[in-house]
Amino acid sequence: MVYSSLLFIYGFLPVSILLFYITPKKLRELTLLFLSIIFCGMISLYFLIFMLAFTALNYGFSHLISRLRKNEKAAAIPLTVGIIIDLASLIIFRMDYFTRLHDFMRAPEEFFPVGISFFSLAAVGTLIDIYKGRIKAEKNIVRFSLYFMFFPRLIMGPLLRYGVFRRILDNRRETPANIGIGMTLFVKGLAKKVIVADDLYILYTAVQSQNVKEISAVTAWLGIIGFVLCLYFNLSGFADMGMGVAYCFGYRMPQSFNYPLVSTKIKYFAARWQSQVIQWLRRYVTKPLYGVCRHRWIKELVFVFGWTLFGIWYTFSANGALWGLLIGTAVVIESRITKRKIMDITGIIYTAFVIIICFVFLAGSSPAYSGRYLLAMLCGNGVIADSQAFYLLKSYIVLLLAAIYAASDLFRNLMTRSGKKKVKTVITAVSTLVVLAALIICTALLSYSGSSEMLIMKL
């Protein structure tokens, strides 16, 4: 069960909200844990068992580290063991070895630890923070379990430090208005996924099914643009859905995507794409290494290394590593050569071009395939456009333009700059109708959509 299923939208979600608000306030966190356990169980019984065991192990390690913290060498033992277990869980389930493990356990075909890329890193960060004395080990097992199992952030994060998550729990605000705002965010994310991403996935797969040595340059560009937009609307869509559900319960989660595709510089894209994961890598990987680096070029290598790790985290493949390496290198080169301020439109164009080139490697099945695809984009097959290119362009140009507009912050700026109250009132009223229409359309499409989830099913 995922957020974009009819069972979740019209069954699990309304029942959860109702049950949460009829429960006494002191017991509402326990109610959320109960609902999260049910959610995990509905995904898979194996998944629920895994989550309970993962949470119990990290709870035990966190308290063991806390008790031994006065003796750093002694505390380092459970810290190291805990980190090894957490990272081993991530690596085993994300690599090809998982197939053999899956068969050994005789688990159902659909079993996969959903969201393991997020909660495994969250566990590592928590153990390190306790060891460093930044936070105290959580005694409340309900809160600690919610940190890993809270269903609104289970699938697509955000990746939060435990101290931040605890403050979010402490600042809960339960009002009817929050339910309205939360449902609006949820439907917005649902529309991103069902209306935009699923259709763009059809465009992407249509191009991918062709022989890369024969496709025209226009077809290749349409395919990779479709992939970039599809991935963005999938990831940000699920993030918005989770954030909206959390809002319904009074919790305000930070955004993971802040309109990264229309950035005026590559460094802005790098800071706005999956920003919580970038912050985690900066805090636990690159920043500690910066402390022992005196020269700028060494720090730049560390930065590129951090982005390479980010790419590996995405796909656990050579292509993912290449994507991260290219993004990190592009940021470093940009910082070296763009000393002067450039026009926004110029920055957006060159940034989009670099991003698309880099994403060719994230989309490809192998570095060799990605290189051949990039050659096709540069008219390496000797064909600029063919009948297929014109057909795809005719079929998807409206959707692509609408998706590019939706990926920008133009509408948000319109709301901000419209100083007249009447204009804002009209926009708000229209937005409400648009949200209702989007929910109806998504409901109609959900019976046969969902294919684009293949892009992120193992994140």
Side-chain angles (χ1 to χ4, degrees):
M1 180 174 66
V2 293
Y3 306 146
S4 57
S5 67
L6 292 176
L7 176 61
F8 180 86
I9 298 170
Y10 294 104
F12 186 84
L13 180 57
V15 170
S16 297
I17 296 174
L18 178 62
L19 186 61
F20 177 80
Y21 280 99
I22 65 175
T23 302
K25 288 189 176 182
K26 293 182 178 180
L27 300 176
R28 286 181 178 175
E29 287 184 0
L30 181 61
T31 301
L32 283 177
L33 178 58
F34 170 75
L35 292 169
S36 298
I37 290 174
I38 297 298
F39 182 84
C40 292
M42 293 179 72
I43 293 176
S44 167
L45 180 60
Y46 282 85
F47 178 59
L48 174 58
I49 295 173
F50 175 84
M51 289 302 299
L52 292 174
F54 186 90
T55 302
L57 278 172
N58 279 279
Y59 184 79
F61 279 121
S62 67
H63 282 272
L64 188 57
I65 293 169
S66 180
R67 290 182 181 181
L68 299 174
R69 203 174 67 81
K70 292 181 179 180
N71 186 336
E72 290 188 3
K73 292 184 178 179
I77 296 175
L79 172 68
T80 303
V81 175
I83 291 176
I84 290 174
I85 292 175
D86 291 333
L87 292 181
S89 300
L90 172 62
I91 294 170
I92 289 172
F93 285 107
R94 290 292 305 278
M95 296 185 74
D96 293 338
Y97 178 75
F98 172 65
T99 304
R100 284 179 281 174
L101 180 64
H102 190 279
D103 296 337
F104 175 77
M105 294 188 303
R106 296 182 179 178
E109 291 184 4
E110 68 275 9
F111 168 63
F112 179 81
V114 179
I116 191 170
S117 296
F118 294 94
F119 61 73
S120 57
L121 294 188
V124 170
T126 301
L127 297 181
I128 293 174
D129 284 345
I130 294 172
Y131 177 78
K132 294 289 187 180
R134 296 167 181 161
I135 60 172
K136 295 181 180 180
E138 180 59 72
K139 295 181 180 180
N140 189 329
I141 185 64
V142 173
R143 285 195 156 195
F144 191 83
S145 300
L146 275 177
Y147 181 54
F148 297 110
M149 302 177 66
F150 187 38
F151 72 90
R153 62 183 290 263
L154 184 63
I155 294 178
M156 198 48 64
L159 176 57
L160 303 174
R161 290 181 287 114
Y162 188 77
V164 175
F165 181 74
R166 187 157 48 192
R167 287 196 295 272
I168 291 174
L169 293 182
D170 292 336
N171 294 321
R172 186 178 74 206
R173 297 290 184 271
E174 303 146 337
T175 64
N178 280 347
I179 298 178
I181 295 172
M183 290 307 301
T184 300
L185 284 172
F186 178 83
V187 175
K188 174 186 174 184
L190 184 67
K192 282 183 176 182
K193 193 272 174 194
V194 176
I195 298 177
V196 183
D198 284 353
D199 281 335
L200 289 174
Y201 184 73
I202 298 174
L203 168 61
Y204 164 67
T205 53
V207 176
Q208 288 294 107
S209 64
Q210 303 299 312
N211 188 337
V212 71
K213 296 181 180 180
E214 298 176 358
I215 60 175
S216 66
V218 173
T219 300
W221 276 95
L222 288 173
I224 193 59
I225 292 173
F227 172 83
V228 174
L229 291 171
C230 177
L231 183 63
Y232 167 72
F233 281 104
N234 244 312
L235 295 173
S236 64
F238 274 104
D240 285 349
M241 283 187 269
M243 187 168 62
V245 173
Y247 221 110
C248 291
F249 298 117
Y251 300 110
R252 297 189 179 187
M253 299 289 179
Q255 288 185 337
S256 295
F257 297 87
N258 186 19
Y259 302 102
L261 297 183
V262 289
S263 301
T264 55
K265 288 187 177 182
I266 303 170
K267 71 173 184 178
Y268 297 151
F269 165 82
R272 296 171 181 174
W273 180 275
Q274 207 86 48
S275 57
Q276 305 302 324
V277 180
I278 296 299
Q279 292 174 17
W280 188 96
L281 287 168
R282 183 183 300 123
R283 181 181 179 87
Y284 298 107
V285 180
T286 58
K287 190 176 180 179
L289 292 175
Y290 285 156
V292 296
C293 300
R294 295 183 179 181
H295 301 287
R296 178 181 176 181
W297 67 271
I298 298 179
K299 291 184 178 181
E300 290 173 343
L301 286 178
V302 170
F303 177 83
V304 173
F305 170 71
W307 261 90
T308 303
L309 287 180
F310 184 35
I312 294 173
W313 176 83
Y314 254 119
T315 63
F316 272 76
S317 67
N319 273 56
L322 273 173
W323 173 78
L325 176 66
L326 290 171
I327 294 288
T329 303
V331 173
V332 170
I333 294 174
E334 180 187 65
S335 68
R336 290 276 189 173
I337 64 176
T338 56
K339 301 295 183 182
R340 298 179 181 180
K341 184 177 180 181
I342 59 176
M343 294 178 62
D344 287 349
I345 187 63
T346 304
I348 290 173
I349 292 173
Y350 100 81
T351 300
F353 178 79
V354 173
I355 289 171
I356 290 171
I357 296 301
C358 293
F359 269 92
V360 170
F361 292 89
L362 189 66
S365 56
S366 68
Y369 177 88
S370 297
R372 194 65 186 80
Y373 192 95
L374 185 59
L375 184 64
M377 291 171 61
L378 301 176
C379 205
N381 292 335
V383 183
I384 297 177
D386 55 11
S387 58
Q388 183 192 36
F390 287 114
Y391 173 78
L392 293 175
L393 190 61
K394 177 182 176 182
S395 301
Y396 289 96
I397 185 61
V398 174
L399 177 62
L400 287 171
L401 291 175
I404 293 171
Y405 174 81
S408 71
D409 57 354
L410 293 176
F411 181 76
R412 184 180 64 175
N413 291 339
L414 176 65
M415 290 287 290
T416 303
R417 294 173 182 175
S418 58
K420 296 181 179 180
K421 292 184 178 180
K422 291 183 178 180
V423 176
K424 289 187 176 181
T425 302
V426 172
I427 293 176
T428 302
V430 172
S431 298
T432 302
L433 295 175
V434 170
V435 168
L436 291 174
L439 180 59
I440 295 172
I441 294 172
C442 289
T443 301
L445 293 175
L446 278 173
S447 59
Y448 62 88
S449 67
S451 56
S452 64
E453 291 169 10
M454 294 299 293
L455 287 179
I456 62 168
M457 65 179 297
K458 290 190 176 182
L459 286 182

